[in-house]
Amino acid sequence: MLAGYWKYVVLSIALAAASPISPSLRASADRGGILVGTAVRPEQLSEPAYAATLAHEFNLLEPEDAMKWEVLHPAPETFDFTQADRIVPFAAQHNMKVRGHTLVWHQQNPKWLTEGRYTPDQLAQILEKHVKTVVGHYRGKVFAWDVVNEAFDERVVGKFRRTIWYDQPGIRRARKGSSYIEDCFRWAHEADPAALLFYNDAEAEAMNPKSDEIYAMVRDFRRRGVPIDGVGLQMHISNLHPDIPSISENIDRFTALGVQVHITEMDVALPVDADGNAEAEDLQLQAEIYRNIAAACLSHPGCTAIQTWGFTDKYSWIGSHSKRTQGAALLFDRNYRPKPAYDALRSVLERSRHR
Ligand code: G3I
């Protein structure tokens, strides 16, 4: 234990000393009043290089899976906060903010819930209890929540995704548009009125039919006083030529509604060989994408957080979800060495102090 601690201290000092001229990401971000964050896995916090890099570079973190239903709510009457409760104190010790992810999603739900054949009334009660218990548990500790995640269907324009929460059987609001989402935001707000409440989605980063739908929902919520504070744009990128002006225009229209935008899950997946290595040329292209997305965000005062979905290529969902054909998507390589993408992001954060 002690040996582990000293390794951690030595690593922290080494990282701090690694670059006497260049500040860390978080030092640059702090000066500009920006949050720079990453998704984290609790089982890795005991790895010295992981913990030291995390604490040194980021002022924001978000549990990658540890706050999802299957982890937090393993049986109808059981809440288990063990995993997430390893992450939240780490953030407090290192003066980092915590984003919570996610209260309502169609994936990573426990079998007792998905196979329980509950009625809409029962489901509404179960969901209300979950939202209020989880948000209440972290009241004052989680500053922002992804309340609802990926509720729009990317295959059918203008349609809500058909899920247990929406219409299968739904929580008493089946096929009534966003009204089930509204309920969730109101429950979360009751449990922690100070927490910022976000709607988070994928493939809605640029101007497109899906982001149009989300925009219409957020505008409606704002007009009617539904407590929504922000929109999370996930930013999982695998096309190496994203439409930056369109992403910027989208951020522009959301922030004009008076809500914040967070980039919540950024990674840029590259083709990799059997050892997980990407081409040098692609790593440069990747750096430009990080640079341009960060710059697009920071050109809007309402875009207040840039978060990546993990930070070391040693641990990322991309490998297992692409049968190892893609990877190298993050800011640090598998040995925690900063990549060109790291330098690109830091240089944008450095300039952010002038915004
Ligand atoms: O729970 C089992 C565990 O019991 C088992 O030991 C382990 C062995 O591999 O697998 C565990 O389940 C994995 C789970 O993460 C928890 O670690 C699943 O196989 C794995 O598929 C699952 O992947 C997560 C994925 O969401 C689920 O769709 C990724 O880690 C996570 O990065 C990813 O995150 C999502 C965001 O929440 C929402 N936006 C998209 C993003 C990427 O898909």
Side-chain angles (χ1 to χ4, degrees):
M1 181 68 197
L2 197 61
Y5 172 77
W6 282 112
K7 250 197 262 171
Y8 174 82
V9 169
V10 169
L11 252 158
S12 302
I13 295 168
L15 278 166
S19 180
I21 301 164
S22 315
S24 63
L25 295 177
R26 72 179 288 174
S28 305
D30 282 343
R31 282 196 287 267
I34 307 297
L35 292 170
V36 61
T38 177
V40 299
R41 299 178 175 180
E43 63 274 23
Q44 255 68 64
L45 288 176
S46 53
E47 186 184 327
Y50 186 95
T53 308
L54 176 61
H56 184 248
E57 296 290 347
F58 299 94
N59 57 15
L60 168 70
L61 58 70
E62 172 168 318
E64 181 171 349
D65 290 303
M67 286 184 174
K68 292 173 178 170
W69 269 76
E70 67 177 4
V71 181
L72 283 187
H73 203 158
E77 297 305 325
T78 310
F79 285 87
D80 179 356
F81 295 102
T82 324
Q83 284 198 36
D85 282 353
R86 290 172 61 196
I87 295 175
V88 175
F90 181 95
Q93 269 164 26
H94 297 284
N95 198 22
M96 307 163 91
K97 291 199 168 189
V98 181
R99 289 189 96 261
H101 174 84
T102 169
L103 299 168
V104 185
W105 196 26
H106 61 284
Q107 284 188 35
Q108 287 177 282
N109 288 321
K111 279 214 169 71
W112 68 261
L113 174 74
T114 53
E115 294 174 7
R117 297 183 173 278
Y118 293 105
T119 65
D121 277 342
Q122 288 170 324
L123 264 186
Q125 278 169 19
I126 291 169
L127 183 57
E128 179 175 354
K129 181 174 162 194
H130 178 90
V131 169
K132 290 185 173 173
T133 304
V134 173
V135 175
H137 182 84
Y138 291 111
R139 187 178 166 127
K141 294 180 179 157
V142 167
F143 92 109
W145 279 101
D146 287 336
V147 178
V148 178
N149 189 43
E150 299 169 14
F152 287 86
D153 194 327
E154 49 265 343
R155 291 158 310 178
V156 196
V157 174
K159 286 264 161 66
F160 286 89
R161 189 190 297 275
R162 308 198 59 186
T163 71
I164 187 170
W165 307 122
Y166 175 54
D167 67 345
Q168 297 187 337
I171 56 162
R172 289 193 298 235
R173 304 270 189 271
R175 290 181 214 95
K176 290 195 177 137
S178 61
S179 84
Y180 84 102
I181 299 175
E182 177 174 342
D183 283 352
C184 301
F185 275 80
R186 293 193 188 282
W187 292 330
H189 185 66
E190 255 183 67
D192 185 355
L196 299 177
L197 304 181
F198 278 68
Y199 175 78
N200 190 53
D201 214 325
E203 289 150 19
E205 289 81 7
M207 302 290 287
N208 61 36
K210 191 174 180 183
S211 61
D212 289 349
E213 294 296 328
I214 297 169
Y215 176 78
M217 177 183 78
V218 175
R219 188 179 51 189
D220 169 53
F221 280 9
R222 295 289 291 174
R223 280 187 183 153
R224 292 189 299 107
V226 179
I228 186 166
D229 302 288
V231 173
L233 304 180
Q234 293 188 4
M235 214 64 77
H236 292 289
I237 294 179
S238 51
N239 152 26
L240 296 184
H241 301 280
D243 187 344
I244 306 289
S246 177
I247 291 171
S248 190
E249 190 182 344
N250 197 32
I251 295 173
D252 207 39
R253 66 171 168 170
F254 279 117
T255 53
L257 290 176
V259 296
Q260 297 185 36
V261 167
H262 285 178
I263 308 293
T264 50
E265 306 185 12
M266 184 161 179
D267 47 25
V268 180
L270 300 178
V272 289
D273 64 20
D275 297 322
N277 296 317
E279 301 278 347
E281 212 173 280
D282 283 348
L283 291 169
Q284 291 303 332
L285 210 49
Q286 178 183 61
E288 289 316 303
I289 294 171
Y290 273 99
R291 183 194 309 284
N292 293 335
I293 298 283
C297 169
L298 297 184
S299 66
H300 300 88
C303 189
T304 50
I306 301 171
Q307 182 171 259
T308 55
W309 207 236
F311 56 96
T312 165
D313 291 337
K314 191 170 179 184
Y315 307 113
S316 160
W317 72 288
I318 302 272
S320 56
H321 286 72
S322 70
K323 302 204 169 96
R324 311 269 156 220
T325 59
Q326 293 195 303
L330 296 166
L331 301 173
F332 294 84
D333 72 12
R334 278 166 294 171
N335 297 311
Y336 297 92
R337 282 185 302 242
K339 294 161 61 182
Y342 171 92
D343 296 325
L345 174 58
R346 196 187 52 203
S347 73
V348 177
L349 292 171
E350 266 290 280
R351 292 202 304 272
S352 70
R353 78 174 85 165
H354 305 302
R355 60 179 210 158

